Amino acid sequence: MPSAAEVAWLIPVLPLAGAVFVGLGLISFNRTVNRLRKPVALLLLSCVGASGVLSFAVLAEQLRGAGPYEALFNWASAGDFNLEMGFRVDPLGAVMLALVTTIAVLVMVYSHGYMAHDKSYVRFFTYLALFSSSMLGLVISPNLLEIYVFWELVGMCSYLLVGFWYDREGAAHAAQKAFVVNRVGDFGLLLGILGLFWATGSFDFEGIATGLSAAMADGRVSGWAATALCLFVFMGPMAKSAQFPLHVWLPDAMEGPTPISALIHAATMVAAGVFLVARLEPLYGLFPDVQTVIAVIGTITCFLGASIALTQMDLKKGLAYSTVSQLGYMMLAMGCGAPIAGMFHLVTHAFFKAMLFLGSGSVIHAMEEVVGHEPALAQDMRLMGGLRKQMPITAITFLIGCVAISGIPPLAGFWSKDEILGQAFNSYPLLWVVGFLTAGMTAFYMFRLYFLTFEGPFRGADLQLRQELLAAAGKPASDKGGHASQAHESAWPMTLPLVVLAVPSILIGLLGTPWHSRFAALLDPKEATEMAAAFSWPEFLPLAGASVAISLTGISIAVLAYALHKIDLAKAVAARFPSINAFLSNKWYLDSLNEKLFVQGSRKLAKQVLEVDAKVVDGVVNLTGLLTLGSGEGLKYFETGRAQFYALIVFGGVIGLVVIFGSLG
């Protein structure tokens, strides 16, 4: 009987087979398949669930010390060149496989409730299965070229899912923005992959590192060229994992359905970039300057995301910028040469952030029954409040997520974030200061979200406030609302995933305690042993205590401002520092800058190219066609079938040539 690792190729194939089967059904028998909502959902959920079972079997083998497994076949060859494809299973991949399938299954269960009344229910589940398959294929890819193939498939699926409600202008623009920004990063990634192959003759992760080191030692590749190639490759993760300045697509991706926000922001698309950097750690470890760049970009990103989240009133946008900030922490860990710490935070963050996004979806779903389906109303926290009494399960799980992401022990976020801050303190003290302050900001804005949403009086019935928010969003005034006077708890398909996700959000951090990290022991037993040997309580307690203290400070300010109403931050901060408030509210003006520098210029260039195409290219083509048509119409009259007439034409032509050449001579 084959081991789980030997049949791991089935993990991405099963969801793909289900998606292809249903997709062909939609193409051939659209009405019939769309009526089979529950059978289709059950089929696709079973496919992803089977992949999940197999993923956990692979993880169990790795926990028992099975070691890496790789199966390759010759995909293309020409002379001495051989290109191999296949799959690879190792501890890092096994963790990602289990994580992706777990979140995907829970999101699909949740989607059954959230998308129950959507006319494109079947299409949505098909996209989910295809997206899951693409991410799973990326995880088990054995080389950079195969990763790039699935990398693009993940990007394509994200475009389809973010723009799922394509009839909404905001969703269509968000999908285009995500596609274009990611193409910028993907172009750099492709250049880097091709450049590394030129330098090393290999696409393998280990082969690239050893080959580039040898090429630099032989003088075949200069140091600056090797550094440039590494930075080109890093552009891909910068875009996928929403790192500054290529982060701008992620908040706008909230225009997609909330289950997609949970899937993209928790364990799939944004995790792909961090995962790739972890895969290439043997390569990046050769270049301290590149690691410094990664650390600096990660630090800027984490501070940027947290600072913008301070002013957001849209519930999903606030969580989106929180994701940007947490991804910055992960990249900071990678830049500090601590991929295990970064991956551990990726895992813990996946659980509590998925729970937070699904919780926000539960809130929005309930708000739509009160204020209608207008996102400017249903997602604005100024219309919420008091939902804890009506939605106790959603409120409790959301609070757990807030505590976890704030870094309060013993919940998951504390252990992973503290490990990153500890690594930063030892490697880049200045970056540690920024990360430390960001931890306090994170605690503040997360509890701000909680109090505005779940505590205080319910504000959804305020018709005047509704009109003000519609006017501020540029929407026409409307007296229409939902069919309910107050919100209520969501159905079990939406609350069950929240309860399930709450368990690892509380407990999974205990697998990464610095004195005995089972997570590190799985990924790198040698490093785990060194971590345990180097652990010191006198060093750990001050740093951990400071981290908890700054988080508690942020929580305390949020309690005073939004729960007890002892502090009016609008007067105390926003009114005193209007320029800073405007800077944060306008997202550091980065969207405006991109609009002026790139969007408007690109559109102007596109219009000019279109005009040249219409007037010059099409003009030449049309003129050629017109001349052909005219000459054909004229020549048809010379087809008489009489030899005397043809002889006359020839004679006339000869006479004409004689006259012309005679005049020239």
Side-chain angles (χ1 to χ4, degrees):
M1 185 176 179
S3 64
E6 292 174 338
V7 294
W9 59 272
L10 286 171
I11 296 174
V13 169
L14 289 173
L16 177 63
V20 170
F21 179 75
V22 177
L24 291 174
L26 285 172
I27 295 172
S28 305
F29 312 98
N30 187 274
R31 292 185 178 180
T32 303
V33 175
N34 273 309
R35 286 196 293 266
L36 301 173
R37 296 162 70 93
K38 290 185 179 180
V40 168
L42 183 60
L43 170 65
L44 295 176
L45 181 59
S46 300
C47 291
V48 178
S51 294
V53 172
L54 190 53
S55 297
F56 275 94
V58 170
L59 179 61
E61 287 184 351
Q62 294 297 316
L63 288 170
R64 292 194 296 268
Y69 177 84
E70 190 172 76
L72 304 173
F73 65 93
N74 193 19
W75 188 65
S77 61
D80 296 332
F81 172 76
N82 290 295
L83 180 59
E84 292 182 323
M85 296 289 188
F87 67 95
R88 173 190 176 98
V89 173
D90 60 4
L92 178 62
V95 169
M96 285 297 298
L97 289 174
L99 180 65
V100 171
T101 52
T102 300
I103 301 297
V105 167
L106 292 173
V107 166
M108 294 182 83
V109 172
Y110 181 94
S111 299
H112 175 64
Y114 191 88
M115 302 294 291
H117 302 292
D118 196 283
K119 62 181 181 180
S120 299
Y121 176 96
V122 173
R123 178 166 64 90
F124 181 78
F125 269 80
T126 306
Y127 286 171
L128 277 180
L130 184 60
F131 189 46
S132 302
S133 173
S134 302
M135 186 64 197
L136 293 169
L138 188 153
V139 170
I140 66 171
S141 295
N143 56 56
L144 271 178
L145 187 62
E146 192 170 331
I147 273 188
Y148 186 79
V149 174
F150 286 104
W151 191 273
E152 293 300 319
L153 285 174
V154 168
M156 181 198 72
C157 293
S158 69
Y159 173 81
L160 296 174
L161 288 167
V162 172
F164 181 77
W165 290 320
Y166 55 83
D167 52 345
R168 297 181 181 177
E169 185 179 0
H173 288 169
Q176 292 174 2
K177 189 174 185 179
F179 184 83
V180 171
V181 174
N182 276 278
R183 293 294 71 71
V184 173
D186 294 352
F187 179 67
L189 174 61
L190 181 60
L191 287 179
I193 292 173
L194 296 177
L196 287 172
F197 179 78
W198 163 78
T200 65
S202 175
F203 292 113
D204 300 331
F205 305 116
E206 292 82 5
I208 287 173
T210 56
L212 191 59
S213 180
M216 292 173 62
D218 297 341
R220 290 183 284 114
V221 178
S222 61
W224 68 267
T227 301
L229 291 175
C230 292
L231 291 175
F232 274 129
V233 171
F234 180 62
M235 285 182 64
M238 279 180 65
K240 275 288 190 292
S241 293
Q243 300 296 296
F244 171 86
L246 300 179
H247 69 282
V248 292
W249 68 270
L250 189 63
D252 288 7
M254 296 299 99
E255 292 290 342
T258 300
I260 296 311
S261 302
L263 191 59
I264 288 178
H265 287 231
T268 52
M269 186 171 174
V270 297
V274 179
F275 171 77
L276 180 56
V277 176
R279 270 281 187 235
L280 293 174
E281 195 275 336
L283 173 66
Y284 288 126
L286 301 173
F287 301 93
D289 292 343
V290 175
Q291 288 188 314
T292 301
V293 171
I294 294 173
V296 170
I297 289 176
T299 305
I300 295 173
T301 304
C302 77
F303 181 79
L304 174 146
S307 64
I308 297 175
L310 296 174
T311 61
Q312 295 299 305
M313 284 299 176
D314 186 298
L315 179 58
K316 287 177 68 177
K317 288 284 183 72
L319 292 175
Y321 280 107
S322 168
T323 299
V324 172
S325 181
Q326 298 304 307
L327 289 168
Y329 274 114
M330 298 174 203
M331 283 300 179
L332 171 60
M334 298 298 172
C336 293
I340 292 177
M343 288 300 302
F344 187 46
H345 194 54
L346 186 152
V347 172
T348 60
H349 173 264
F351 288 111
F352 58 69
K353 183 53 62 71
M355 182 173 63
L356 287 168
F357 266 112
L358 296 182
S360 73
S362 178
V363 170
I364 293 166
H365 191 265
M367 288 294 299
E368 287 177 341
E369 297 187 359
V370 179
V371 302
H373 292 270
E374 172 55 56
L377 300 179
Q379 296 177 194
D380 199 305
M381 292 182 290
R382 286 168 288 193
L383 282 175
M384 299 176 186
L387 297 180
R388 174 174 55 85
K389 298 178 181 178
Q390 285 77 37
M391 309 178 70
I393 298 175
T394 301
I396 293 171
T397 53
F398 199 96
L399 179 60
I400 291 171
C402 290
V403 176
I405 197 174
S406 298
I408 304 300
L411 274 70
F414 165 75
W415 303 103
S416 56
K417 189 183 292 186
D418 184 74
E419 180 63 24
I420 293 173
L421 290 176
Q423 294 288 345
F425 183 82
N426 294 325
S427 302
Y428 305 101
L430 182 60
L431 301 185
W432 170 83
V433 172
V434 179
F436 175 75
L437 295 175
T438 302
M441 295 162 61
T442 301
F444 168 77
Y445 70 68
M446 287 305 305
F447 275 85
R448 170 180 175 268
L449 294 181
Y450 174 79
F451 289 126
L452 286 175
T453 304
F454 295 101
E455 303 295 340
F458 181 64
R459 300 174 291 274
D462 191 334
L463 295 178
Q464 183 179 353
L465 181 57
R466 290 189 198 179
Q467 302 305 325
E468 291 176 357
L469 294 178
L470 287 172
K475 304 286 184 177
S478 175
D479 295 329
K480 295 182 180 180
H483 52 79
S485 59
Q486 63 179 14
H488 62 81
E489 186 63 270
S490 301
W492 73 264
M494 296 175 65
T495 54
L496 178 62
L498 296 177
V499 175
V500 173
L501 287 168
V503 177
S505 297
I506 297 172
L507 300 176
I508 200 169
L510 299 175
L511 297 177
T513 54
W515 56 86
H516 180 50
S517 177
R518 295 174 178 84
F519 187 83
L522 173 62
L523 297 190
D524 191 341
K526 183 180 178 182
E527 183 170 340
T529 304
E530 293 175 354
M531 286 173 57
F535 176 76
S536 169
W537 284 105
E539 181 181 344
F540 171 76
L541 289 176
L543 289 175
S547 176
V548 174
I550 194 70
S551 296
L552 291 175
T553 302
I555 295 172
S556 300
I557 297 173
V559 170
L560 292 172
Y562 299 103
L564 303 177
H565 302 286
K566 299 293 186 181
I567 303 175
D568 189 348
L569 293 178
K571 293 181 179 179
V573 180
R576 290 186 179 182
F577 307 99
S579 57
I580 296 177
N581 186 66
F583 181 72
L584 298 179
S585 299
N586 288 283
K587 310 167 189 175
W588 288 28
Y589 296 105
L590 291 173
D591 281 336
S592 302
L593 187 64
N594 286 326
E595 179 74 20
K596 292 181 179 179
L597 289 180
F598 301 109
V599 177
Q600 292 181 2
S602 299
R603 286 177 177 172
K604 186 177 180 180
L605 178 62
K607 288 180 180 178
Q608 292 175 346
V609 171
L610 182 62
E611 189 173 351
V612 172
D613 178 69
K615 293 183 178 180
V616 179
V617 179
D618 289 350
V620 171
V621 174
N622 293 336
L623 179 62
T624 303
L626 185 61
L627 291 174
T628 303
L629 179 63
S631 61
E633 286 290 331
L635 289 172
K636 74 179 182 180
Y637 295 106
F638 291 92
E639 295 291 333
T640 63
R642 297 178 179 178
Q644 300 93 326
F645 182 73
Y646 297 150
L648 180 62
I649 293 174
V650 172
F651 181 74
V654 172
I655 294 297
L657 291 173
V658 171
V659 171
I660 292 171
F661 284 110
S663 63
L664 293 175

